[in-house]
Amino acid sequence: MVTEAHQHTVPTPEPARTFPEGFLWGSATASYQIEGAAAEDGRTPSIWDTYARTPGRVRNGDTGDTATDHYHRWREDVALMADLGIGAYRFSLAWPRIQPTGRGPAVQKGLDFYRRLVDELLAKNIQPVATLYHWDLPQELEDAGGWPERATAERFAEYAALAADALGDRVHTWTTLNEPWCSAFLGYGSGVHAPGRTDQVAALRAAHHLNLAHGLAVQAVRERTPADSRCSVTLNIHHVRPLTGSDADADAVRRIDALANRVFTGPMLRGAYPEDLLKDTAALTDWSFVDDDDLRQIHQPLNFLGVNYYTPTLVSQADGSGAHTSDGHGRSAHSPWPGAREVAFHQPPGATTAMGWAVDPSGLHDLLRRLACDFPGTPLVITENGAAFDDYADPSGNVNDPARIAYLHGHLAAVHQAIAEGADVRGYFLWSLLDNFEWAHGYSKRFGAVYVDYPTGARIPKASARWYSEVARTGVLPA
């Protein structure tokens, strides 16, 4: 006999959720994080090679010299994707592997690697999604001034043309930049990413020239690929929330939203920089590095907007000390937030991942709803979402990661809810396919669905990989 008390403890079953027909299920990686072969077949150093080899920059002195050795094990990795039923693979091209100095003709051995990779993906019915830039700027271009200089955007357009000429018959979905906010503000502002510079004006200049590089690259790709090719950009849109309901905290949200998000969505999707951003940073720069025709060049039609989301951002008015150590982007004596000394960052409540990032799927739901409202008619794709946990292989060789499964389930439920409420979300890419070099954290953080034993290079699909495989194959998020 079931007592009344027991009846009240039985939770209401959560229904399974079915995603729309044609929803794209994928996984993502980045060249410097997985390829290795740092000096093979003509590849020269990128800013991340230089940064990682600088003592004190990367945990344990780790580098991407070998990474997960994907350059030699790519066939095995594609077979893994096929076994998992992944429908699309988002990877990045290594600029210094294709064009070692950032200038001049392409190195055919570098292009041949990507040709082989893409051919293998197509043979396994996996859609290739190529990102032109995931942070590995050729060091020679940084030596000439890097992203704060207009010439770097012009060189990027030439590189995009080389890639499109070589792969445009095989790759039909292109992403120009991955997270230009990190490239500009962590690379040139706080210095916690390569090239490690700490100049707030240089960070703003870099943001503009990354915008320009995006627009010029879209034009170069469209000129060289079939009419049905698709162009996009991937932004780590910050979902910024106020600590309290005060007007001061609302203004803190506005400031960070301008620096984190609208500095890119404004020029790329609206053709203008936000007036409040220009006003907030007027004490630093008059933005005279923006030429008359730049905004027209930047504002190019896109087939979709790529959205990377991991955790929300919580802010309040500050005391002017420039506190920013809880923004989730690494500790530095220098702020990645130019003109925002009035803003303080706070750790959001709740459980955290191994990165110390709060687990909050509602932030993804709210972000998708906002983007659908702000940019109607622009399809959205989740190009990165995932979590790092302290994974290990047990004595039987299995890697069980229930916390990652819970994270993915919650965030996919949030995506499904946003779609049901009208957001035009077309796909989801799990970050990441493999454990890999996690930038300044080296190999200490594991984001992969597939565990990598670094001494041997062995790949072990985690429990989350099998779970995600079933979702990808069926299009159904289980109860």
Coordinates of all heavy atoms in Angstrom, one line a residue, residues 60-116:
N60 N 51.7 24.7 -15.9 CA 52.6 23.6 -16.0 C 53.6 23.8 -17.2 O 54.2 22.8 -17.6 CB 51.9 22.3 -16.2 CG 51.0 22.0 -15.0 OD1 51.4 22.3 -13.8 ND2 49.8 21.4 -15.2
G61 N 53.6 24.9 -17.8 CA 54.5 25.1 -19.0 C 54.0 24.3 -20.2 O 54.8 24.1 -21.2
D62 N 52.7 24.0 -20.2 CA 52.2 23.2 -21.4 C 52.2 24.0 -22.6 O 52.0 25.2 -22.6 CB 50.7 22.7 -21.1 CG 50.6 21.7 -19.9 OD1 51.6 21.1 -19.6 OD2 49.5 21.6 -19.4
T63 N 52.3 23.3 -23.8 CA 52.2 23.9 -25.1 C 51.4 23.1 -26.0 O 51.0 21.9 -25.6 CB 53.6 24.1 -25.7 OG1 54.0 22.8 -26.2 CG2 54.6 24.7 -24.8
G64 N 51.0 23.6 -27.2 CA 50.3 22.8 -28.2 C 51.2 22.1 -29.2 O 50.7 21.7 -30.2
D65 N 52.4 21.9 -28.8 CA 53.4 21.3 -29.8 C 52.9 20.0 -30.2 O 53.0 19.6 -31.4 CB 54.8 21.2 -29.1 CG 55.5 22.5 -29.0 OD1 54.9 23.5 -29.4 OD2 56.6 22.5 -28.4
T66 N 52.3 19.2 -29.3 CA 51.8 17.9 -29.7 C 50.3 17.8 -29.6 O 49.6 17.2 -30.4 CB 52.4 16.8 -28.8 OG1 53.8 16.8 -29.0 CG2 51.9 15.4 -29.2
A67 N 49.8 18.5 -28.5 CA 48.3 18.6 -28.3 C 47.8 17.1 -28.3 O 48.3 16.3 -27.6 CB 47.6 19.5 -29.3
T68 N 46.7 16.9 -29.0 CA 46.2 15.5 -29.1 C 46.6 14.8 -30.4 O 46.1 13.7 -30.7 CB 44.6 15.5 -29.0 OG1 44.1 16.1 -30.2 CG2 44.1 16.3 -27.8
D69 N 47.6 15.4 -31.1 CA 48.2 14.8 -32.2 C 47.2 14.5 -33.3 O 47.3 13.6 -34.1 CB 48.9 13.5 -31.9 CG 50.0 13.1 -32.9 OD1 50.5 14.0 -33.6 OD2 50.2 11.9 -33.1
H70 N 46.2 15.4 -33.4 CA 45.1 15.2 -34.4 C 45.7 15.3 -35.9 O 45.2 14.7 -36.8 CB 44.1 16.3 -34.3 CG 43.0 16.4 -35.3 ND1 42.0 15.4 -35.4 CD2 42.8 17.2 -36.3 CE1 41.2 15.7 -36.4 NE2 41.7 16.8 -37.0
Y71 N 46.8 16.0 -36.0 CA 47.4 16.1 -37.4 C 47.8 14.8 -37.9 O 47.8 14.5 -39.1 CB 48.7 17.0 -37.3 CG 49.2 17.4 -38.6 CD1 48.6 18.4 -39.4 CD2 50.4 16.8 -39.1 CE1 49.1 18.8 -40.6 CE2 50.9 17.2 -40.4 CZ 50.2 18.2 -41.1 OH 50.7 18.6 -42.3
H72 N 48.1 13.8 -37.0 CA 48.5 12.5 -37.5 C 47.3 11.5 -37.2 O 47.3 10.4 -37.8 CB 49.8 12.0 -36.8 CG 50.9 12.9 -37.0 ND1 51.5 13.7 -36.1 CD2 51.6 13.1 -38.2 CE1 52.5 14.3 -36.6 NE2 52.6 14.0 -37.9
R73 N 46.4 11.8 -36.4 CA 45.4 10.9 -36.0 C 44.0 11.3 -36.5 O 43.0 10.8 -35.9 CB 45.4 10.7 -34.4 CG 46.7 10.3 -33.9 CD 46.7 10.1 -32.4 NE 46.0 8.9 -32.0 CZ 46.4 8.1 -31.0 NH1 47.5 8.4 -30.3 NH2 45.7 7.1 -30.6
W74 N 44.0 12.2 -37.5 CA 42.7 12.7 -37.9 C 41.7 11.6 -38.4 O 40.5 11.7 -38.2 CB 42.9 13.8 -39.0 CG 43.7 13.2 -40.2 CD1 45.0 13.2 -40.4 CD2 43.1 12.6 -41.4 NE1 45.4 12.6 -41.6 CE2 44.2 12.3 -42.2 CE3 41.9 12.4 -41.8 CZ2 44.1 11.7 -43.5 CZ3 41.7 11.8 -43.1 CH2 42.8 11.5 -43.9
R75 N 42.3 10.6 -39.1 CA 41.4 9.6 -39.6 C 40.7 8.8 -38.4 O 39.5 8.5 -38.5 CB 42.2 8.6 -40.5 CG 41.3 7.8 -41.4 CD 42.1 6.8 -42.2 NE 43.1 7.4 -43.0 CZ 42.9 8.0 -44.2 NH1 41.7 7.9 -44.8 NH2 43.9 8.5 -44.9
E76 N 41.4 8.6 -37.4 CA 40.9 7.9 -36.2 C 39.8 8.8 -35.6 O 38.7 8.4 -35.1 CB 42.0 7.7 -35.2 CG 41.6 7.1 -33.8 CD 42.7 7.1 -32.8 OE1 43.9 7.3 -33.2 OE2 42.4 6.7 -31.7
D77 N 40.0 10.1 -35.5 CA 39.1 11.1 -34.9 C 37.8 11.2 -35.8 O 36.7 11.3 -35.2 CB 39.7 12.4 -34.7 CG 40.8 12.4 -33.7 OD1 40.8 11.5 -32.8 OD2 41.7 13.3 -33.7
V78 N 37.9 11.2 -37.1 CA 36.7 11.2 -37.9 C 35.9 9.9 -37.7 O 34.7 9.9 -37.7 CB 37.1 11.4 -39.4 CG1 35.9 11.3 -40.3 CG2 37.7 12.8 -39.6
A79 N 36.6 8.8 -37.6 CA 35.9 7.5 -37.3 C 35.2 7.6 -36.0 O 34.1 7.0 -35.9 CB 36.9 6.4 -37.3
L80 N 35.8 8.2 -35.0 CA 35.1 8.4 -33.7 C 33.8 9.2 -33.9 O 32.7 8.8 -33.4 CB 36.0 9.2 -32.8 CG 36.8 8.4 -31.7 CD1 37.7 9.4 -31.0 CD2 35.9 7.7 -30.8
M81 N 33.9 10.3 -34.7 CA 32.7 11.1 -34.9 C 31.6 10.3 -35.6 O 30.4 10.3 -35.3 CB 33.0 12.3 -35.8 CG 33.8 13.4 -35.1 SD 34.1 14.8 -36.2 CE 35.9 14.6 -36.4
A82 N 32.0 9.5 -36.6 CA 31.0 8.7 -37.3 C 30.4 7.6 -36.4 O 29.2 7.4 -36.5 CB 31.7 8.0 -38.5
D83 N 31.2 7.0 -35.5 CA 30.7 6.1 -34.6 C 29.7 6.7 -33.6 O 28.7 6.1 -33.2 CB 31.9 5.5 -33.8 CG 31.4 4.4 -32.8 OD1 30.7 3.4 -33.2 OD2 31.7 4.6 -31.6
L84 N 29.9 8.0 -33.3 CA 29.0 8.7 -32.4 C 27.8 9.2 -33.1 O 26.9 9.8 -32.4 CB 29.8 9.8 -31.7 CG 30.9 9.3 -30.7 CD1 31.7 10.5 -30.2 CD2 30.3 8.5 -29.6
G85 N 27.8 9.2 -34.4 CA 26.6 9.7 -35.1 C 26.5 11.2 -35.2 O 25.4 11.7 -35.4
I86 N 27.7 11.8 -35.1 CA 27.7 13.3 -35.2 C 27.5 13.7 -36.7 O 28.2 13.2 -37.6 CB 29.0 13.8 -34.6 CG1 29.0 13.6 -33.1 CG2 29.2 15.3 -35.0 CD1 30.3 13.9 -32.5
G87 N 26.6 14.7 -36.9 CA 26.2 15.1 -38.2 C 27.1 16.2 -38.8 O 27.0 16.4 -40.0
A88 N 27.8 16.9 -38.0 CA 28.6 18.0 -38.4 C 29.8 18.2 -37.5 O 29.7 17.9 -36.3 CB 27.8 19.3 -38.5
Y89 N 30.9 18.7 -38.1 CA 32.1 18.9 -37.4 C 32.6 20.3 -37.6 O 32.9 20.7 -38.8 CB 33.2 17.9 -37.8 CG 34.5 18.0 -37.2 CD1 34.7 18.2 -35.8 CD2 35.7 18.0 -38.0 CE1 35.9 18.4 -35.2 CE2 36.9 18.1 -37.4 CZ 37.1 18.3 -36.0 OH 38.3 18.4 -35.5
R90 N 32.7 21.1 -36.6 CA 33.2 22.4 -36.7 C 34.6 22.4 -36.2 O 35.0 22.1 -35.1 CB 32.4 23.4 -35.7 CG 32.9 24.8 -35.7 CD 32.0 25.7 -34.8 NE 32.6 27.0 -34.6 CZ 33.2 27.4 -33.5 NH1 33.3 26.6 -32.5 NH2 33.7 28.6 -33.5
F91 N 35.5 22.7 -37.2 CA 37.0 22.7 -36.9 C 37.5 24.0 -37.4 O 36.9 24.8 -38.2 CB 37.6 21.5 -37.6 CG 37.5 21.6 -39.1 CD1 38.5 22.1 -39.9 CD2 36.3 21.2 -39.8 CE1 38.4 22.2 -41.3 CE2 36.2 21.2 -41.1 CZ 37.2 21.7 -41.9
S92 N 38.7 24.4 -37.0 CA 39.3 25.6 -37.5 C 40.6 25.3 -38.3 O 41.3 24.3 -38.1 CB 39.7 26.5 -36.3 OG 40.8 26.1 -35.6
L93 N 40.8 26.1 -39.3 CA 42.0 26.1 -40.1 C 43.1 26.8 -39.4 O 42.9 27.9 -38.8 CB 41.8 26.7 -41.5 CG 40.5 26.2 -42.2 CD1 40.4 27.0 -43.5 CD2 40.7 24.7 -42.6
A94 N 44.3 26.3 -39.4 CA 45.5 27.0 -38.8 C 46.1 27.9 -39.8 O 46.7 27.4 -40.8 CB 46.5 25.9 -38.3
W95 N 45.9 29.2 -39.6 CA 46.5 30.2 -40.5 C 48.0 29.9 -40.8 O 48.4 29.9 -41.9 CB 46.2 31.6 -40.0 CG 46.5 32.7 -40.9 CD1 47.1 32.7 -42.1 CD2 46.1 34.1 -40.7 NE1 47.2 34.0 -42.6 CE2 46.5 34.8 -41.8 CE3 45.4 34.7 -39.7 CZ2 46.3 36.2 -41.9 CZ3 45.2 36.1 -39.8 CH2 45.6 36.8 -40.9
P96 N 48.8 29.7 -39.7 CA 50.2 29.5 -40.0 C 50.6 28.2 -40.7 O 51.7 28.0 -41.1 CB 50.9 29.6 -38.6 CG 49.8 29.3 -37.7 CD 48.5 29.8 -38.3
R97 N 49.6 27.3 -40.7 CA 49.8 26.0 -41.5 C 49.6 26.2 -43.0 O 50.2 25.6 -43.8 CB 48.9 24.9 -40.9 CG 49.4 23.5 -41.4 CD 48.5 22.5 -40.8 NE 48.6 22.3 -39.3 CZ 49.6 21.8 -38.7 NH1 50.7 21.4 -39.4 NH2 49.6 21.7 -37.4
I98 N 48.7 27.2 -43.3 CA 48.3 27.4 -44.7 C 49.1 28.5 -45.3 O 49.6 28.5 -46.4 CB 46.8 27.8 -44.7 CG1 46.0 26.5 -44.4 CG2 46.4 28.4 -46.1 CD1 44.5 26.8 -44.3
Q99 N 49.4 29.6 -44.5 CA 50.1 30.7 -45.0 C 51.1 31.2 -43.8 O 50.8 32.0 -43.0 CB 49.1 31.9 -45.3 CG 49.7 33.0 -46.1 CD 48.7 34.1 -46.3 OE1 47.9 34.4 -45.4 NE2 48.7 34.8 -47.4
P100 N 52.3 30.5 -43.8 CA 53.1 30.6 -42.6 C 53.5 32.0 -42.1 O 53.6 32.2 -40.9 CB 54.3 29.8 -43.0 CG 53.8 28.8 -44.0 CD 52.8 29.5 -44.7
T101 N 53.7 32.9 -43.0 CA 54.1 34.3 -42.6 C 52.9 35.2 -42.6 O 53.1 36.4 -42.2 CB 55.1 34.9 -43.6 OG1 54.5 35.0 -44.9 CG2 56.3 33.9 -43.7
G102 N 51.7 34.7 -42.9 CA 50.6 35.6 -43.0 C 50.5 36.4 -44.3 O 49.7 37.3 -44.5
R103 N 51.4 36.0 -45.2 CA 51.5 36.7 -46.5 C 51.8 35.7 -47.6 O 52.4 34.7 -47.3 CB 52.5 37.8 -46.5 CG 52.4 38.9 -45.5 CD 53.5 39.9 -45.5 NE 53.4 41.0 -44.6 CZ 53.8 40.9 -43.3 NH1 54.3 39.8 -42.9 NH2 53.7 42.0 -42.5
G104 N 51.5 36.1 -48.8 CA 52.0 35.3 -49.9 C 51.2 34.1 -50.2 O 50.1 33.9 -49.7
P105 N 51.7 33.2 -51.1 CA 51.0 32.0 -51.5 C 50.8 31.0 -50.4 O 51.5 31.0 -49.3 CB 51.9 31.4 -52.6 CG 53.3 31.9 -52.3 CD 53.1 33.3 -51.7
A106 N 49.9 30.1 -50.6 CA 49.6 29.0 -49.6 C 50.6 27.9 -49.7 O 51.2 27.7 -50.7 CB 48.2 28.5 -49.8
V107 N 50.8 27.3 -48.6 CA 51.6 26.0 -48.5 C 50.7 24.9 -48.8 O 49.8 24.6 -48.1 CB 52.3 25.9 -47.1 CG1 53.0 24.5 -47.0 CG2 53.3 27.0 -46.9
Q108 N 51.0 24.2 -49.9 CA 50.1 23.1 -50.4 C 50.0 22.0 -49.4 O 48.9 21.4 -49.2 CB 50.5 22.6 -51.7 CG 50.3 23.6 -52.9 CD 48.8 24.1 -52.9 OE1 47.9 23.3 -52.9 NE2 48.6 25.4 -53.0
K109 N 51.1 21.7 -48.7 CA 51.0 20.6 -47.7 C 50.0 20.9 -46.6 O 49.3 20.0 -46.1 CB 52.4 20.3 -47.1 CG 53.3 19.5 -48.0 CD 54.6 19.1 -47.3 CE 55.5 18.3 -48.2 NZ 56.8 17.9 -47.5
G110 N 49.9 22.2 -46.2 CA 49.0 22.6 -45.2 C 47.5 22.5 -45.7 O 46.7 21.9 -45.0
L111 N 47.3 22.9 -46.9 CA 46.0 22.8 -47.5 C 45.6 21.3 -47.7 O 44.5 20.9 -47.6 CB 45.9 23.5 -48.9 CG 45.9 25.1 -48.8 CD1 46.0 25.7 -50.2 CD2 44.7 25.6 -48.1
D112 N 46.6 20.5 -48.1 CA 46.3 19.1 -48.3 C 45.8 18.4 -47.1 O 45.0 17.5 -47.1 CB 47.6 18.4 -48.9 CG 47.9 18.7 -50.3 OD1 47.0 19.2 -51.0 OD2 49.0 18.4 -50.8
F113 N 46.4 18.8 -45.9 CA 45.9 18.2 -44.7 C 44.4 18.5 -44.5 O 43.6 17.5 -44.2 CB 46.6 18.8 -43.5 CG 46.0 18.5 -42.2 CD1 46.0 17.2 -41.7 CD2 45.3 19.4 -41.4 CE1 45.4 16.9 -40.4 CE2 44.7 19.1 -40.2 CZ 44.7 17.8 -39.7
Y114 N 43.9 19.7 -44.8 CA 42.5 20.0 -44.6 C 41.7 19.4 -45.8 O 40.5 19.0 -45.5 CB 42.3 21.5 -44.5 CG 43.0 22.1 -43.3 CD1 44.1 22.9 -43.4 CD2 42.5 21.8 -42.0 CE1 44.7 23.3 -42.2 CE2 43.1 22.2 -40.9 CZ 44.2 23.0 -41.0 OH 44.8 23.5 -39.9
R115 N 42.2 19.3 -46.9 CA 41.5 18.6 -48.0 C 41.3 17.1 -47.6 O 40.1 16.6 -47.8 CB 42.3 18.6 -49.3 CG 42.4 20.0 -50.0 CD 43.1 19.9 -51.3 NE 43.2 21.2 -52.0 CZ 44.4 21.9 -52.2 NH1 45.5 21.4 -51.7 NH2 44.4 23.0 -52.8
R116 N 42.3 16.5 -47.1 CA 42.1 15.1 -46.7 C 41.1 14.9 -45.6 O 40.2 14.0 -45.6 CB 43.4 14.5 -46.2 CG 44.5 14.3 -47.3 CD 45.6 13.4 -46.8 NE 46.3 14.0 -45.7 CZ 47.4 14.9 -45.9 NH1 47.8 15.2 -47.1 NH2 48.0 15.4 -44.8

